[in-house]
Amino acid sequence: MNYFSLFDVPEQYQLDLNSVEQRYRTLQRLTHPDRFASAGDQEKRMYMQKNAQVNDGFHVLKDIVKRGEHLLEVREVALPSEQETIGDTAFLMEQMELRESLGNAGSLEEIMALISSISDSTAEYVERIDKLLASNTQEDNQQAGIELSKLKFLKKIAAEAKTREQKETQ
Amino acid sequence: MALLQIAEPGQSTEPHQRKIGIGIDLGTTNSLVSTVLSGKTECIANEEGEILLPSVVQYLADKTVVGTAAKNAAQNDAANTIVSVKRFVGRSVQDVTNQWTALPYNFKHAQGNPVFITAQGEKNPIEVSADILKTLRTRAEKTINDDITGAVITVPAYFDDAQRQGTKDAAQLAGLNVLRLLNEPTAAAIAYGLDKQQDGTIAVFDLGGGTFDVSILKLEKGVFEVKSTAGDTALGGDDFDYAIAEYASEKLKLDPSMQKQNHRALMNVAKMVKETLSNEQEAHLNIELQDVTHSLKISRAQFETLIKEAVDRTIKTCKRALQDADMSIHDIQQVVMVGGSTRVPLVRQEVEAFFQAPPLTDIDPDKVVAVGAGIQADILVGNKPDSDMLLLDVLPLSLGIETMGGLVEKIIPRNTTIPVARGQEFTTFKDGQTAMMVHVLQGERELVEHCRSLAKFDLTGMPPLAAGAAHIRVTFQVDADGLLSVTAMEKSTGVQAHIEVKPSYGLDESEILNMLSSSMEFAKEDMQARMLKEQQVGAKRVLESLNSALKADGDDLLDSDERAVIDANLDELVRLSEHDNLEDIKQQIEKVDALSQAFANRRMDKAIKLALAGQSVDNI
């Protein structure tokens, strides 16, 4: 399944998310099971499956990691194994430091500062990945795969920091 | 939006042919049915003018009594009178008795699937629920004086797969065609017409007799989306009654056997006290036990102390729902109150204090869910083809599988928009292994023992390969009603693994079929005639929709050979449906379905392409 073509958007990493969302709603209106509540079984099943693809496609296209991975999948580039990322010691040190700072952060201000720095480096990753995927050479595609799996780590920490922030504000 | 009118292939309703859809709120304490009559949604009353049907069923040796009469009989015939059966649907006996220790029923087994032993024999929760639904169906048929096309049945947003499946099974047993299981809070928002308002975020606080849930709904450009839902399937107004009854038993020094014997009577007077305290500052509890009248004065403040902990739990759940939706209190524009228990002043106060907004209470909180279900049923039967409203629903609880060490690996996280299909790959750990067991669970916790066991599958017939060489892809699909189905395939050989689903609680398909065929209502000949009629109607529907599809797109999307095969088989279907050979019609429908599958797919893709192309033009 190619979600870029299902949503009729260009096959590229940076997407206009407003347009993706608009298309999502149009696709929902066309395929949602409620439109087929009194249809025959075949039609019901067919549209239910299509609607599940629409939901999954939206889930993938709006996510900065999954979207990139899907683009590589469409290009038939194998995603890197976990060892390749874990092998990068500088990156691992960075992650451990971030995690440590989050553990040590005592005040809301410290957590907010951390969230803002994570968001800055996320933006850097996105920009880098976009360039790599736009050049679309075999080498750059593979490098994009590695950057994407690093971005996945960063996303996890961002989520943890967000949870901490919510706890602190309550 | 002319675009959307291009493809509505599901709705081949002929003009002027009005169909009847009913909405049913199958509640723990009371149930209701509603329908749209001349443009207005109304709850249907019985001959005595009562709208609320108490969800109580009494099984006498020679008859089944449902509703008020059963409720009145409950006190003196507790063992044969099933109250709050909704708590048992999709649950084991222990699940229920752990929570409510003083239940007056005789269970066939102390554990596993609940089976009540009554004067009429053994009854399971699905049959009891079906008896309630049948009563409502009959009531609706009498009033509307027409056949019912289908029903929307509401369930708590927090119901898991087993509970949803149980509800659907009960409806099937009651002879209802289920158009959709609709979440109760969503139904309430529809009843208030919030779907027609401007964009915004709504919280629905639903405290019924036996269940509590809160949902955060987001409305944007005509799409109604459940952002999150949280709740407790074992918290409600009954707990308030129970707290009063316990308090009274303690104050009146009733011994446990006396308490058990008079459980129902105590609960009834406790309920009256609770209702009085919604309007008064104090109430008197009076109960006659063994010819002695006991009396106890209870103040509103005392009552509020008794229920404080339960009310606090509801507010905590509200916090969790907001967190899951990634929203804060200030994002909520409106709060809708649902369920009789929201009449309790402490509940209203706490909700208003938490959300910092006065809740909506204009529509009777007992009726609001049924009204919303009725509106949705009217749309789903096809009476409002222009309706632009779309309800997107989410999976209420994460689905996962058991992995090594009794841990649960999540496959579909909660609050994922449904329908959804996700795959997971498994491998073998022994050479030549040809079978494996998959344990599916639902819940948020990490350990198997803390989640709810949904089903265990045996994957059999796998090709014998070296350990780790077989890759079995198991696909979990959740439909729009939140119900799970599973398929599995060995990837390297393409061998379809056989799956046998054993629901952990509830009934498997053969049990449902047995109940259907043994049900008194469908005597054998009746059943045959009914099935024939259903197939003939089915054939007519297939013919109508396929003919109109062929007229529209047949020349465009089919080559002449494909067209000829379909035409010939349609002619055959016309011929067969005029005769009364049930099996022949059925087979021919299946054949036509299979032959037209590719055509149907092409039509769907064409409609999607057209709509998206139109969108691109709109954007320019």
Side-chain angles (χ1 to χ4, degrees):
Chain A
M1 187 72 232
N2 181 336
Y3 292 137
F4 295 96
S5 59
L6 176 63
F7 278 67
D8 192 28
V9 292
E11 253 176 47
Q12 63 194 38
Y13 183 60
Q14 293 276 46
L15 287 179
D16 172 8
L17 288 186
N18 281 330
S19 142
V20 171
E21 197 173 334
Q22 235 173 41
R23 279 144 203 278
Y24 171 63
R25 289 182 198 287
T26 305
L27 288 168
Q28 278 291 358
R29 288 211 165 84
L30 282 169
T31 62
H32 193 275
D34 279 357
R35 304 272 169 203
F36 304 93
S38 27
D41 285 346
Q42 184 198 41
E43 218 164 21
K44 264 188 193 165
R45 212 172 29 245
M46 186 175 81
Y47 277 92
M48 201 247 292
Q49 280 162 0
K50 184 57 81 181
N51 190 245
Q53 285 174 358
V54 168
N55 282 327
D56 203 45
F58 186 53
H59 177 72
V60 166
L61 291 183
K62 71 179 179 184
D63 184 289
I64 49 172
V65 174
K66 292 194 174 77
R67 191 198 314 139
E69 287 176 344
H70 184 59
L71 186 55
L72 290 175
E73 213 181 297
V74 169
R75 292 177 179 171
E76 294 179 349
V77 177
L79 295 174
S81 68
E82 282 200 353
Q83 273 78 15
E84 281 174 74
T85 344
I86 291 167
D88 185 341
T89 38
F91 174 74
L92 275 188
M93 287 300 290
E94 220 177 283
Q95 291 309 298
M96 273 154 69
E97 270 167 37
L98 260 179
R99 219 164 264 277
E100 212 174 315
S101 331
L102 183 62
N104 293 336
S107 69
L108 186 59
E109 284 73 31
E110 283 177 85
I111 297 171
M112 302 268 273
L114 210 59
I115 289 177
S116 137
S117 104
I118 294 172
S119 136
D120 285 348
S121 42
T122 301
E124 282 165 28
Y125 269 99
V126 168
E127 203 179 318
R128 200 153 53 232
I129 292 166
D130 186 43
K131 275 193 189 129
L132 289 166
L133 287 172
S135 95
N136 195 10
T137 63
Q138 199 191 349
E139 196 182 325
D140 283 352
N141 277 336
Q142 251 148 23
Q143 186 57 35
I146 292 168
E147 299 289 330
L148 279 167
S149 49
K150 288 180 184 170
L151 184 55
K152 210 188 282 180
F153 273 97
L154 211 58
K155 242 186 87 181
K156 235 183 223 163
I157 294 195
E160 280 165 32
K162 199 101 200 270
T163 314
R164 279 287 308 277
E165 186 202 356
Q166 266 168 353
K167 269 190 197 144
E168 290 291 327
T169 42
Q170 267 164 20
Chain B
M1 283 284 282
L3 288 172
L4 296 179
Q5 288 158 14
I6 295 170
E8 295 294 337
Q11 293 167 354
S12 52
T13 340
E14 291 154 27
H16 315 302
Q17 185 195 344
R18 201 176 160 74
K19 290 187 173 174
I20 303 291
I22 57 171
I24 293 181
D25 173 2
L26 183 60
T28 308
T29 316
N30 293 302
S31 298
L32 305 83
V33 59
S34 77
T35 193
V36 176
L37 290 170
S38 35
K40 215 171 154 256
T41 316
E42 285 178 54
C43 291
I44 304 170
N46 65 4
E47 280 152 354
E48 285 79 43
E50 299 164 333
I51 283 175
L52 294 182
L53 174 75
S55 303
V56 183
V57 187
Q58 182 191 21
Y59 290 102
L60 297 170
D62 56 346
K63 66 172 178 176
T64 303
V65 184
V66 181
T68 310
K71 189 181 165 189
N72 294 339
Q75 204 161 320
N76 297 320
D77 191 20
N80 293 318
T81 310
I82 317 299
V83 177
S84 300
V85 70
K86 193 171 175 178
R87 293 201 152 136
F88 290 90
V89 173
R91 287 287 178 265
S92 74
V93 176
Q94 305 99 293
D95 286 334
V96 184
T97 51
N98 282 346
Q99 188 105 17
W100 294 278
T101 45
L103 292 171
Y105 310 120
N106 301 316
F107 292 106
K108 190 179 178 193
H109 314 287
Q111 46 194 353
N113 275 330
V115 177
F116 304 98
I117 298 178
T118 72
Q120 210 182 93
E122 295 175 7
K123 295 285 169 186
N124 64 50
I126 294 182
E127 290 170 297
V128 181
S129 305
D131 281 326
I132 297 168
L133 289 169
K134 257 182 233 166
T135 307
L136 293 173
R137 191 191 102 193
T138 313
R139 183 195 282 191
E141 278 170 347
K142 266 191 198 156
T143 306
I144 303 165
N145 206 8
D146 202 346
D147 281 346
I148 291 165
T149 305
V152 168
I153 298 173
T154 60
V155 290
Y158 213 53
F159 253 25
D160 68 23
D161 180 82
Q163 294 166 304
R164 282 167 200 264
Q165 189 63 58
T167 306
K168 209 170 174 181
D169 291 341
Q172 194 192 351
L173 193 57
L176 286 167
N177 167 33
V178 181
L179 298 164
R180 178 77 69 241
L181 297 179
L182 183 65
N183 285 331
E184 288 163 3
T186 313
I190 296 173
Y192 270 101
L194 296 182
D195 51 297
K196 291 182 199 73
Q197 287 196 351
Q198 288 178 342
D199 296 357
T201 308
I202 304 150
V204 182
F205 183 97
D206 182 349
L207 188 60
T211 54
F212 166 68
D213 48 69
V214 58
S215 297
I216 309 296
L217 311 182
K218 195 176 168 205
L219 177 67
E220 212 180 320
K221 300 185 188 90
V223 175
F224 223 167
E225 195 174 354
V226 180
K227 296 303 282 185
S228 73
T229 177
D232 191 332
T233 54
L235 175 65
D238 291 359
D239 296 289
F240 298 171
D241 303 345
Y242 197 75
I244 296 174
E246 290 270 288
Y247 174 76
S249 304
E250 189 195 313
K251 286 282 166 191
L252 300 173
K253 300 192 170 58
L254 303 182
D255 62 64
S257 75
M258 187 119 140
Q259 200 182 331
K260 188 173 178 182
Q261 225 170 37
N262 297 287
H263 172 74
R264 199 51 51 67
L266 270 163
M267 288 293 276
N268 281 345
V269 291
K271 192 174 171 102
M272 287 188 322
V273 166
K274 175 184 74 177
E275 286 169 4
T276 307
L277 289 174
S278 286
N279 302 308
E280 312 287 334
Q281 288 300 329
E282 61 176 52
H284 291 270
L285 179 148
N286 297 307
I287 187 165
E288 201 184 291
L289 300 170
Q290 291 167 339
D291 299 328
V292 184
T293 305
H294 301 261
S295 186
L296 183 71
K297 193 174 84 182
I298 299 175
S299 72
R300 187 188 278 183
Q302 265 164 332
F303 170 58
E304 291 182 346
T305 316
L306 292 174
I307 63 169
K308 183 81 174 69
E309 193 257 322
V311 177
D312 283 350
R313 263 162 72 199
T314 66
I315 299 297
K316 262 192 205 132
T317 309
C318 291
K319 275 186 198 159
R320 190 152 60 88
L322 276 176
Q323 236 171 53
D324 286 352
D326 211 359
M327 284 181 188
S328 77
I329 285 158
H330 310 288
D331 295 319
I332 306 296
Q333 275 105 20
Q334 256 151 341
V335 184
V336 175
M337 294 295 252
V338 184
S341 306
T342 58
R343 293 197 183 94
V344 173
L346 181 70
V347 173
R348 288 194 181 183
Q349 277 162 34
E350 296 287 319
V351 169
E352 181 165 351
F354 177 72
F355 285 106
Q356 297 166 18
L360 292 173
T361 53
D362 299 345
I363 303 181
D364 183 340
D366 282 322
K367 290 184 195 162
V368 61
V369 166
V371 167
I375 295 172
Q376 185 67 3
D378 193 46
I379 294 172
L380 293 186
V381 292
N383 286 336
K384 288 187 177 167
D386 304 333
S387 164
D388 217 18
M389 182 178 80
L390 201 54
L391 291 177
L392 300 187
D393 230 324
V394 296
L395 186 70
L397 296 159
S398 301
L399 279 172
I401 44 147
E402 178 170 351
T403 60
M404 295 288 204
L407 292 174
V408 179
E409 184 179 330
K410 282 182 189 158
I411 292 175
I412 309 179
R414 79 173 145 165
N415 291 331
T416 300
T417 307
I418 50 175
V420 66
R422 294 269 161 89
Q424 177 80 13
E425 243 165 66
F426 297 92
T427 188
T428 47
F429 63 95
K430 268 194 206 142
D431 286 340
Q433 189 180 342
T434 57
M436 68 164 54
M437 207 223 9
V438 180
H439 187 190
V440 181
L441 298 115
Q442 196 162 22
E444 305 317 312
R445 306 278 295 275
E446 302 209 329
L447 293 177
V448 166
E449 61 197 68
H450 293 147
C451 285
R452 183 147 289 277
S453 169
L454 280 186
K456 285 179 178 166
F457 312 128
D458 282 320
L459 296 181
T460 56
M462 287 162 14
L465 297 170
H471 290 278
I472 298 100
R473 187 168 183 79
V474 180
T475 305
F476 297 81
Q477 176 151 301
V478 181
D479 70 12
D481 291 326
L483 298 176
L484 171 76
S485 61
V486 182
T487 50
M489 201 176 90
E490 203 289 306
K491 275 179 78 178
S492 63
T493 58
V495 172
Q496 198 89 24
H498 181 67
I499 295 182
E500 203 139 325
V501 183
K502 293 191 196 87
S504 301
Y505 301 110
L507 308 168
D508 65 31
E509 207 158 330
S510 63
E511 284 174 285
I512 300 283
L513 280 176
N514 277 336
M515 288 195 314
L516 265 177
S517 56
S518 66
S519 129
M520 298 287 284
E521 203 177 345
F522 307 116
K524 211 169 178 187
E525 308 84 76
D526 236 36
M527 186 96 166
Q528 278 290 329
R530 199 185 143 102
M531 277 161 65
L532 177 64
K533 198 176 165 222
E534 269 174 20
Q535 287 301 332
Q536 283 168 332
V537 171
K540 202 175 153 220
R541 197 166 58 192
V542 168
L543 285 166
E544 272 171 16
S545 73
L546 204 50
N547 276 325
S548 79
L550 284 168
K551 211 171 146 193
D553 290 317
D555 299 337
D556 196 13
L557 298 175
L558 290 172
D559 65 34
S560 57
D561 289 352
E562 291 171 323
R563 179 67 187 258
V565 174
I566 292 178
D567 281 345
N569 277 283
L570 281 179
D571 290 345
E572 179 66 5
L573 184 57
V574 173
R575 195 184 67 80
L576 288 172
S577 62
E578 280 157 9
H579 297 82
D580 43 7
N581 190 326
L582 176 71
E583 218 26 63
D584 282 355
I585 303 175
K586 205 171 146 189
Q587 274 177 18
Q588 189 62 18
I589 290 178
E590 279 167 16
K591 197 172 170 194
V592 167
D593 266 354
L595 283 170
S596 61
Q597 178 78 57
F599 175 57
N601 261 309
R602 282 175 221 165
R603 286 197 87 216
M604 174 172 71
D605 289 342
K606 183 186 167 190
I608 288 173
K609 271 217 175 70
L610 262 173
L612 287 179
Q615 181 134 57
S616 306
V617 173
D618 280 351
N619 285 344
I620 290 167

